[in-house]
Amino acid sequence: MGWRLWSLKRSVWVYHVNAGACNNCDIEVVDLLTPRFDVERFGIRLVGSPRQADALLVTGVGTRQAIKRLQDAYIQTAKPCLVFCIGACACGCGIFEGAYHVSGPVDQAIKSIDPDAIIAYVPGCPPKPEAIVSGVVKALSVV
Amino acid sequence: MTGIAENVFRLLVFPGLVFTLVIGMFGCWVLRKVSALIQWRVGPPWYQPWVDVLKLAGKELLIPEQANAVVFLAAPVVGLAAAVLVSTVLWNALLGRHAYVGDLIVVLYLSVIPSLALIMGSSASASPHAAIGASREMKLILSYELPMAAAMVVALIKAAASGSPSGQVLDLSSLSAAKVIWSISGFMAFLVSLLCIHAKLGLVPFDIAESETELAGGILIEYSGILMGIWRLVQAVLLVALPLLLIAVFLGGFGTGRWAILAGFGKLVLLWVLLILIKNTNPRVRIDQAMRFFWFVCTPALVIAVILAILGRFYGIGWL
């Protein structure tokens, strides 16, 4: 697993999945990719297709409509891949816990199709771009 | 037997695959680093393109259920083979002086194949995004091939006018000897063909087929793992091969001797700088705008250039 992990850590291509977020976290994720934070320093790039992604940045609570699409996107992602739950909603449903339109937290939806999935959490409502960078770096140093 | 071994070495190591890749990957990094500096950020480290390909090689390879697997798998390999062949022919003509009559035609013909392979592969992937991307790529090829061929005609007329030493103008080394750019028509043809190779490389104002914001990757959307890595290698090889074509045809080639070869690499860097400047100062155009630009702006300009070149030859005026 040596060279695969080594190169994966230095070239993380991310795919952004909105699983029913209020757009706040999405704005912070887009912020993260601007020249101000310059994540290309670490080899991080936004890609348009989960086929090429190494990490899914999941925002939102996981609504009944979105959770199926999230699972599809996870299945279509080339493994090995990581899942980042961005924001309070994705981490644990936040203030929407138990609401009629919510279909469980994101991590359970992913674990239900792949029990070995690697999931990292970045809490906050919304988390600052700095917090997301720090979360990604910490997750990569643990993997 | 030694002849075969030598040819294989030429194709795969020097000046073919390995040599071109080393320069091409460096070029990819220069492209990303300088774009980053223009946007006032730090940018990726020098080994980033290599790490990207290494990572893609270690990833899972997914083939869409409804895809035509054979075409889907073969397309990147065909593209890479054609790109390597183009670069080998060009390097041989520029460095090794192994030019032959008609190699310009061979290069023009082979340099279309990577784009065609891209269309084939994406059409085989059974994704609607890829289908739209493929149709755009096809229209883009139709747009830029016409002015590209016209630019070559200008170069041939200028080379014939300057009285090429071997008496044959259809090989790359006698075209290089003519130094076509030092004339009005030659300069016009150079500018237009620079835009054509920009479109062929799929860089920003003409990345219509990939357009990440609307087609989410377009032609490459279904490619994953090592196949995506091979497409990156094709990009890197073309980033060397297509500027080399312009150097051979318009900018006077590489020459012989240590300093001349250094100057040749300087020309390569100069073309990269021009490509980066165009890339970073223009937003993406629509496909109809691109077609209109290539057919109704570039092509008439080249018709004028051809007329100027013919007049220059007829009256013996070198600078026309």
Side-chain angles (χ1 to χ4, degrees):
Chain A
M1 202 55 198
W3 60 273
R4 292 186 185 195
L5 198 62
W6 182 86
S7 55
L8 187 72
K9 280 182 178 180
R10 275 157 189 79
S11 158
V12 182
W13 292 3
V14 299
Y15 177 69
H16 175 201
V17 192
N18 182 334
C22 69
N23 237 342
N24 239 335
C25 296
D26 303 308
I27 290 171
E28 298 303 319
V29 168
V30 173
D31 242 12
L32 183 67
L33 302 161
T34 53
R36 182 180 170 85
F37 296 99
D38 185 24
V39 285
E40 205 186 0
R41 278 177 297 167
F42 314 117
I44 299 175
R45 261 185 76 213
L46 187 71
V47 290
S49 159
R51 303 258 188 223
Q52 297 144 20
D54 309 303
L56 298 179
L57 293 184
V58 186
T59 58
V61 72
T63 58
R64 281 192 286 171
Q65 291 288 333
I67 208 85
K68 184 79 188 64
R69 278 76 188 178
L70 171 66
Q71 289 172 334
D72 282 351
Y74 181 79
I75 291 168
Q76 290 183 4
T77 308
K79 311 291 176 301
C81 78
L82 295 96
V83 178
F84 285 96
C85 299
I86 306 287
C89 293
C91 291
C93 289
I95 57 169
F96 298 104
E97 189 176 10
Y100 72 97
H101 66 289
V102 172
S103 173
V106 165
D107 53 353
Q108 279 178 20
I110 301 277
K111 291 268 187 195
S112 71
I113 50 170
D114 180 10
D116 301 327
I118 308 165
I119 302 181
Y121 304 88
V122 183
C125 185
K128 282 185 167 188
E130 292 93 327
I132 301 176
V133 173
S134 136
V136 170
V137 170
K138 276 180 188 162
L140 289 180
S141 60
V142 170
V143 166
Chain B
M1 208 47 211
T2 50
I4 294 171
E6 198 188 335
N7 284 342
V8 168
F9 179 78
R10 279 209 182 126
L11 269 175
L12 293 185
V13 184
F14 182 88
L17 185 62
V18 174
F19 180 63
T20 315
L21 263 187
V22 169
I23 298 177
M25 289 302 224
F26 178 71
C28 286
W29 173 72
V30 168
L31 214 68
R32 287 171 72 171
K33 181 77 177 177
V34 176
S35 301
L37 291 178
I38 289 172
Q39 293 167 7
W40 212 251
R41 55 196 175 89
V42 179
W46 65 269
Y47 52 80
Q48 193 62 50
W50 291 103
V51 173
D52 284 350
V53 173
L54 192 66
K55 176 209 70 180
L56 286 167
K59 293 272 286 185
E60 186 188 10
L61 179 60
L62 296 162
I63 299 170
E65 244 170 51
Q66 294 162 333
N68 182 339
V70 177
V71 181
F72 187 75
L73 292 171
V77 182
V78 171
L80 184 64
V84 168
L85 213 52
V86 170
S87 61
T88 311
V89 171
L90 283 166
W91 280 120
N92 270 340
L94 286 169
L95 291 177
R97 298 267 161 222
H98 291 295
Y100 54 90
V101 176
D103 52 2
L104 177 67
I105 306 287
V106 172
V107 166
L108 284 181
Y109 170 74
L110 285 175
S111 66
V112 189
I113 291 184
S115 310
L116 289 181
L118 201 53
I119 292 173
M120 259 166 40
S122 59
S123 313
S125 69
S127 157
H129 286 84
I132 297 174
S135 84
R136 289 184 182 186
E137 176 80 17
M138 213 178 299
K139 285 172 197 153
L140 201 60
I141 293 178
L142 290 178
S143 318
Y144 65 66
E145 282 301 326
L146 178 65
M148 188 78 182
M152 295 303 148
V153 169
V154 172
L156 288 176
I157 295 172
K158 293 307 292 181
S162 73
S164 68
S166 59
Q168 299 150 333
V169 290
L170 212 56
D171 72 84
L172 287 168
S173 56
S174 39
L175 269 174
S176 312
K179 290 199 173 58
V180 174
I181 195 173
W182 299 118
S183 60
I184 296 173
S185 56
F187 188 70
M188 285 164 80
F190 168 71
L191 278 186
V192 170
S193 56
L194 182 69
L195 291 170
C196 290
I197 67 162
H198 201 92
K200 212 186 260 274
L201 286 167
L203 296 177
V204 157
F206 303 112
D207 67 334
I208 312 163
E210 271 180 56
S211 57
E212 285 184 355
T213 41
E214 53 194 90
L215 288 185
I219 29 182
L220 295 175
I221 190 167
E222 294 292 343
Y223 275 101
S224 59
I226 184 67
L227 291 182
M228 184 67 193
I230 295 178
W231 282 126
R232 307 284 292 197
L233 296 184
V234 173
Q235 275 273 318
V237 171
L238 286 182
L239 194 61
V240 177
L242 296 175
L244 277 187
L245 174 63
L246 291 202
I247 291 173
V249 175
F250 295 103
L251 299 183
F254 269 51
T256 46
R258 211 179 307 151
W259 294 110
I261 284 175
L262 204 62
F265 279 104
K267 289 170 190 169
L268 185 61
V269 172
L270 178 78
L271 283 180
W272 282 347
V273 168
L274 288 175
L275 290 175
I276 292 169
L277 284 181
I278 299 172
K279 172 177 180 273
N280 277 293
T281 48
N282 289 283
R284 181 167 63 244
V285 293
R286 288 198 315 267
I287 184 67
D288 58 321
Q289 291 169 328
M291 279 190 104
R292 214 172 295 143
F293 175 70
F294 278 118
W295 280 4
F296 301 122
V297 179
C298 292
T299 309
L302 282 178
V303 171
I304 295 171
V306 168
I307 293 170
L308 283 179
I310 292 174
L311 285 178
R313 187 183 180 188
F314 192 71
Y315 293 109
I317 309 171
W319 51 266
L320 211 58

